[in-house]
Amino acid sequence: MKSCLIIEDQIDCQHWLKHIVSAAFPDCEIHLAANQTRARILITEHSFELAIIDLALPDGCGLEIVRALKRIAPQTKSVIMTAMGEDAKIVAALSAGVQGYLLKE
């Protein structure tokens, strides 16, 4: 994998995810965003193979980024990483077009 976007507002979790992606894909270029505003800028400036997206962001729901990626860069694989495991959240994410749903715990 050549490029990954991690959208996570908790800095410790952001660094943890970056470490995991770096270990799995040593040559991967990783971009970090702590909110939707920064993520929207990055998805217009760069092309990503993978986006790991927190569902609850300080400025909105991560599903809005999933939908934006589907319009702007449909080749990007989107994975939700969240603490919310309710069925309704999972169904909403799958309906938005995510390819994966991971629980933080």
Side-chain angles (χ1 to χ4, degrees), residues 22-57:
S22 294
F25 306 100
D27 296 328
C28 184
E29 180 180 342
I30 301 170
H31 291 264
L32 304 173
N35 55 49
Q36 282 193 50
T37 304
R38 180 69 182 143
R40 287 182 186 279
I41 292 167
L42 289 171
I43 64 176
T44 59
E45 293 177 348
H46 303 277
S47 178
F48 298 102
E49 292 178 66
L50 174 66
I52 302 172
I53 306 164
D54 187 10
L55 200 53
L57 296 167

Side-chain angles (χ1 to χ4, degrees), residues 76-88:
T76 303
K77 303 291 186 224
S78 297
V79 175
I80 293 293
M81 179 90 168
T82 185
M84 295 181 265
E86 299 90 30
D87 289 346

